[in-house]
Amino acid sequence: MTVLDLAEWLKAEVLVVGEGSHRAIRRVVASDLMSDVLLVDDEDMLLLTSLASDQVLRTAQIVGAVGVIVVNGKALPSSMVAVANDLRLTLATCSLPKYEACVAVARALSAL
Amino acid sequence: MSDKARRSIALRESSDAGAESEPLVLLELIQRLKVRDVMTRKLATVPRSATLRQAQMLMRERKISGVPVEENGRFFGLVSVDDIIRALVAGTIDDPCHKHMTTKLVVLEDDMPVAFALRYFDRYHYGRFPVLNRDQRLVGIVCQRDINRALLVELTHELSRLENVMIQTSDADDAYHVYVLREFPVVKYDFENAGKAANQIKKVLQEKRFSPKDIRRIAVAAFELEMNLCVHSDGGVLSWLLANGRAEIIARDGGPGIEDVAWACRDGTSTANEWIRSMGFGAGMGLANVKRVADEFEIASKKGSGTTVKAVIRISAPDALQGASQQPG
């Protein structure tokens, strides 16, 4: 399942389609603490977060994430789209709270 | 020198393509060096009761153009050549200094960056500035010659370091034909730009087709150190050197320094405030994470001074040299 498949499942709005959009998600990390995200060693990770900042995208690029989905229907700063485009990173936003988004993602992945 | 070695001594790249002609090393130096690093500490001073004639004799003896008036570290004023000339004309050369010294003075503080001092020289056109510490005690005096001398010494060190890298690269059989040095100034609390340097480093590594695993380790170390500079230091420079199958990342700052380095390197220890934590950082895992991904890790710090962290990551030859077609991560 790719980040675009998951975005559709979550009814998320895809703002930027990046380079990793075609890659299969190998792991999902839900965190607002970027220090924790930097400890994840797996490639092709999807990041779910309720933190809406450029630093989320910069962190995701560093760890090679396939994309970022911002949950809780957070209003994203306009700079996030520009940064996602610059870093060629898929960015989506969904209205579900983080826990519910995690449950939905788990269901989606187990349905495969 | 062989063509291969010549190719390997490729170029020095600046942090962005449009600024390649800017002397980044110099910019970094004048930000990193503090006034206390360049000032003259051995001062020739006179007490308030000394006569202007005594001050004049001292100036002639030491070949200096100004004498601070000071008692037990407390700074009262400065006797300049102009003051002496005026006293000779007015016949007051045997008066005590405190009657005719210059008291409306512009001073520098010892923990100001040299860049700040240079702006003062430009703005006020004085030949020298007295330097006070945080307790307002006179601790030195600085003139432009002091700054030039310190910059020359630092630049010589930097050139020597670069020459060593070039020699090592030219001697290597498989130097990966890569030599990259980049330096990125990092400003305190500049979250708008923090992380950009590490993002750029990762892009370059991907273009050169190193393995995703190596790229990730280098990128994580660079990002953690860059965020540390932004969050914990007064500002500094992130340097990245890629040569001879090694990536060397150095984060240097001018303060405030770490009191307990061993404590700072442990998981979960942090001095970050709530504002920084609200942005997803400051959990106290940065230095520990750098140690985790690096093959070599060094840290030197002194409270009240600065911190230098160096992480070295040994890397395998890029896919291109191995003839592989694996995509970078």
Side-chain angles (χ1 to χ4, degrees):
Chain A
M1 183 171 271
T2 67
V3 60
L4 295 181
D5 296 333
L6 254 185
E8 195 178 338
W9 181 280
L10 294 170
K11 295 188 175 65
E13 183 188 355
V14 178
L15 302 169
V16 177
V17 177
E19 277 180 346
S21 60
H22 65 282
R23 300 208 299 268
I25 295 167
R26 290 194 209 169
R27 181 169 177 178
V28 179
V29 172
S31 180
D32 296 341
L33 193 55
M34 296 304 106
S35 304
D36 278 348
V37 176
L38 286 163
L39 292 168
V40 178
D41 281 332
D42 296 327
E43 288 293 318
D44 295 341
M45 169 195 89
L46 170 70
L47 175 60
L48 287 179
T49 182
S50 54
L51 199 62
S53 76
D54 298 355
Q55 296 307 327
V56 167
L57 297 168
R58 299 201 180 284
T59 306
Q61 187 255 12
I62 290 297
V63 296
V66 293
V68 174
I69 298 181
V70 180
V71 296
N72 280 339
K74 282 272 180 81
L76 305 190
S78 57
S79 59
M80 274 188 89
V81 171
V83 172
N85 273 314
D86 180 47
L87 298 177
R88 289 171 285 191
L89 199 62
T90 299
L91 172 64
T93 173
C94 95
S95 56
L96 291 173
K98 190 158 62 181
Y99 178 75
E100 286 177 31
C102 289
V103 172
V105 166
R107 282 190 183 137
L109 293 175
S110 62
L112 288 175
Chain B
M1 187 188 291
S2 69
D3 286 347
K4 187 177 169 185
R6 204 168 284 127
R7 277 198 307 275
S8 70
I9 304 171
L11 73 166
R12 177 194 169 89
E13 298 179 47
S14 62
S15 58
D16 68 69
E20 284 195 351
S21 59
E22 288 180 12
L24 280 176
V25 174
L26 206 56
L27 286 177
E28 182 266 318
L29 278 177
I30 62 174
Q31 284 297 336
R32 177 165 59 84
L33 289 175
K34 299 288 164 69
V35 169
R36 62 171 163 260
D37 300 323
V38 302
M39 68 187 187
T40 300
R41 290 170 186 272
K42 285 182 182 171
L43 295 179
T45 64
V46 290
R48 283 176 294 174
S49 57
T51 63
L52 289 166
R53 189 182 298 280
Q54 287 173 311
Q56 179 205 6
M57 286 167 66
L58 189 62
M59 288 159 73
R60 196 171 54 194
E61 190 183 304
R62 299 289 184 96
K63 296 185 173 59
I64 51 178
S65 54
V67 179
V69 179
E70 171 257 352
E71 287 171 20
N72 299 320
R74 188 173 169 198
F75 180 53
F76 293 97
L78 193 85
V79 177
S80 67
V81 171
D82 281 351
D83 295 327
I84 296 294
I85 292 170
R86 271 196 296 273
L88 286 168
V89 172
T92 56
I93 194 72
D94 290 313
D95 282 1
C97 288
H98 69 87
K99 280 192 172 177
H100 304 285
M101 66 187 180
T102 306
T103 52
K104 286 183 180 174
L105 290 165
V106 180
V107 298
L108 291 169
E109 289 188 14
D110 64 345
D111 60 355
M112 287 173 169
V114 162
F116 198 91
L118 287 171
R119 282 203 292 275
Y120 264 44
F121 279 110
D122 201 32
R123 185 184 303 168
Y124 295 105
H125 304 290
Y126 293 147
R128 75 204 75 74
F129 289 103
V131 182
L132 306 185
N133 65 11
R134 284 184 182 181
D135 300 324
Q136 299 300 302
R137 315 293 283 183
L138 181 71
V139 289
I141 199 159
V142 67
C143 63
Q144 280 187 311
R145 197 171 55 181
D146 296 326
I147 295 176
N148 293 343
R149 191 188 304 119
L151 287 178
L152 275 175
V153 169
E154 292 292 329
L155 284 171
T156 304
H157 288 160
E158 186 65 19
L159 278 173
S160 166
R161 193 171 70 86
L162 289 173
E163 279 172 6
N164 280 337
V165 170
M166 290 166 80
I167 290 164
Q168 286 170 21
T169 308
S170 60
D171 286 346
D173 291 334
D174 57 346
Y176 307 164
H177 305 264
V178 173
Y179 168 43
V180 178
L181 170 64
R182 288 187 175 186
E183 292 185 326
F184 306 86
V186 181
V187 176
K188 183 179 187 178
Y189 295 158
D190 180 14
F191 279 96
E192 194 181 326
N193 292 303
K196 278 187 180 175
N199 289 148
Q200 282 187 35
I201 288 170
K202 180 163 184 180
K203 278 184 183 174
V204 172
L205 291 165
Q206 285 175 323
E207 283 162 12
K208 295 186 186 300
R209 303 191 67 189
F210 285 97
S211 78
K213 197 175 172 186
D214 288 340
I215 292 173
R216 165 189 284 270
R217 292 165 67 213
I218 297 164
V220 166
F223 191 79
E224 294 279 20
L225 291 177
E226 186 180 0
M227 294 310 295
N228 265 6
L229 284 174
C230 173
V231 169
H232 296 295
S233 83
D234 296 334
V237 170
L238 186 81
S239 309
W240 171 53
L241 179 68
L242 179 65
N244 297 324
R246 282 162 59 95
E248 189 177 301
I249 303 149
I250 299 174
R252 263 188 313 213
D253 66 61
I258 303 170
E259 194 157 3
D260 186 343
V261 170
W263 179 83
C265 290
R266 281 203 297 265
D267 267 346
T269 50
S270 178
T271 55
N273 58 32
E274 284 305 312
W275 175 63
I276 290 159
R277 286 170 199 264
S278 74
M279 280 186 277
F281 296 94
M285 289 177 286
L287 286 176
N289 202 16
V290 176
K291 277 177 89 171
R292 185 178 69 88
V293 297
D295 294 305
E296 295 168 34
F297 177 86
E298 290 170 25
I299 180 166
S301 186
K302 193 177 172 189
K303 184 74 182 166
S305 184
T307 301
T308 300
V309 185
K310 178 172 153 185
V312 175
I313 291 147
R314 288 189 286 277
I315 47 182
S316 48
D319 292 343
L321 287 186
Q322 292 176 347
S325 58
Q326 193 184 352
Q327 289 293 321

Short mmCIF file of all heavy atoms in Angstrom, two decimals, chain A residues 31-38 49 51, chain B residues 277 280-283 285:
data_model
loop_
_atom_site.label_atom_id
_atom_site.label_comp_id
_atom_site.label_asym_id
_atom_site.label_seq_id
_atom_site.Cartn_x
_atom_site.Cartn_y
_atom_site.Cartn_z
N SER A 31 3.87 10.20 15.59
CA SER A 31 4.59 10.92 16.65
C SER A 31 4.57 12.43 16.40
O SER A 31 4.56 12.88 15.26
CB SER A 31 6.04 10.44 16.70
OG SER A 31 6.75 11.12 17.70
N ASP A 32 4.58 13.16 17.50
CA ASP A 32 4.75 14.61 17.39
C ASP A 32 6.15 15.01 17.84
O ASP A 32 6.49 16.18 17.88
CB ASP A 32 3.73 15.34 18.29
CG ASP A 32 2.31 15.08 17.83
OD1 ASP A 32 2.13 14.67 16.67
OD2 ASP A 32 1.38 15.28 18.63
N LEU A 33 6.90 14.01 18.23
CA LEU A 33 8.25 14.28 18.73
C LEU A 33 9.27 13.89 17.65
O LEU A 33 9.51 12.71 17.40
CB LEU A 33 8.48 13.46 20.01
CG LEU A 33 9.69 13.83 20.86
CD1 LEU A 33 9.68 15.31 21.23
CD2 LEU A 33 9.74 12.98 22.10
N MET A 34 9.81 14.89 17.00
CA MET A 34 10.72 14.62 15.88
C MET A 34 12.00 13.93 16.36
O MET A 34 12.64 13.21 15.60
CB MET A 34 11.05 15.92 15.14
CG MET A 34 9.85 16.58 14.48
SD MET A 34 8.98 15.49 13.34
CE MET A 34 7.50 15.07 14.25
N SER A 35 12.36 14.19 17.61
CA SER A 35 13.54 13.51 18.16
C SER A 35 13.33 11.99 18.11
O SER A 35 14.26 11.24 17.86
CB SER A 35 13.76 13.93 19.61
OG SER A 35 13.88 15.33 19.69
N ASP A 36 12.09 11.53 18.35
CA ASP A 36 11.78 10.09 18.28
C ASP A 36 11.82 9.60 16.84
O ASP A 36 12.31 8.51 16.56
CB ASP A 36 10.38 9.82 18.85
CG ASP A 36 10.40 9.73 20.37
OD1 ASP A 36 11.50 9.65 20.95
OD2 ASP A 36 9.31 9.75 20.98
N VAL A 37 11.30 10.41 15.95
CA VAL A 37 11.25 10.01 14.53
C VAL A 37 12.67 9.79 14.00
O VAL A 37 12.92 8.87 13.22
CB VAL A 37 10.52 11.09 13.70
CG1 VAL A 37 10.56 10.75 12.21
CG2 VAL A 37 9.08 11.24 14.19
N LEU A 38 13.60 10.60 14.47
CA LEU A 38 14.99 10.49 14.00
C LEU A 38 15.66 9.20 14.47
O LEU A 38 16.73 8.85 14.00
CB LEU A 38 15.80 11.70 14.48
CG LEU A 38 15.50 13.01 13.76
CD1 LEU A 38 16.01 14.19 14.55
CD2 LEU A 38 16.08 13.00 12.36
N THR A 49 1.38 12.69 12.05
CA THR A 49 1.69 13.64 13.13
C THR A 49 0.62 14.71 13.22
O THR A 49 -0.06 15.02 12.23
CB THR A 49 3.07 14.29 12.89
OG1 THR A 49 3.37 15.16 13.98
CG2 THR A 49 3.13 15.08 11.59
N LEU A 51 1.65 17.60 14.37
CA LEU A 51 2.50 18.79 14.38
C LEU A 51 2.57 19.34 12.96
O LEU A 51 2.93 18.63 12.02
CB LEU A 51 3.90 18.38 14.84
CG LEU A 51 4.85 19.45 15.34
CD1 LEU A 51 4.30 20.14 16.57
CD2 LEU A 51 6.20 18.80 15.69
N ARG B 277 10.31 22.25 22.84
CA ARG B 277 9.66 20.93 22.89
C ARG B 277 8.35 20.94 22.11
O ARG B 277 7.96 19.95 21.49
CB ARG B 277 9.40 20.52 24.33
CG ARG B 277 10.68 20.10 25.06
CD ARG B 277 10.42 19.94 26.55
NE ARG B 277 11.65 19.99 27.29
CZ ARG B 277 12.33 18.92 27.68
NH1 ARG B 277 11.90 17.73 27.41
NH2 ARG B 277 13.46 19.05 28.36
N GLY B 280 8.62 19.83 18.71
CA GLY B 280 8.98 18.44 18.43
C GLY B 280 10.43 18.12 18.68
O GLY B 280 10.90 17.04 18.34
N PHE B 281 11.16 19.06 19.29
CA PHE B 281 12.58 18.82 19.54
C PHE B 281 12.89 19.01 21.03
O PHE B 281 12.02 19.36 21.80
CB PHE B 281 13.44 19.76 18.69
CG PHE B 281 13.28 19.50 17.22
CD1 PHE B 281 12.37 20.22 16.48
CD2 PHE B 281 14.00 18.50 16.60
CE1 PHE B 281 12.20 19.96 15.13
CE2 PHE B 281 13.84 18.23 15.26
CZ PHE B 281 12.94 18.96 14.52
N GLY B 282 14.14 18.76 21.36
CA GLY B 282 14.56 18.99 22.74
C GLY B 282 14.24 17.85 23.68
O GLY B 282 14.11 18.05 24.88
N ALA B 283 14.10 16.64 23.11
CA ALA B 283 13.82 15.49 23.97
C ALA B 283 15.09 14.95 24.61
O ALA B 283 15.03 14.02 25.41
CB ALA B 283 13.13 14.40 23.18
N MET B 285 17.76 13.58 23.01
CA MET B 285 18.31 12.38 22.39
C MET B 285 19.27 12.72 21.25
O MET B 285 19.79 11.82 20.58
CB MET B 285 17.17 11.49 21.90
CG MET B 285 16.43 10.86 23.06
SD MET B 285 15.03 9.88 22.56
CE MET B 285 13.87 11.12 22.12
#
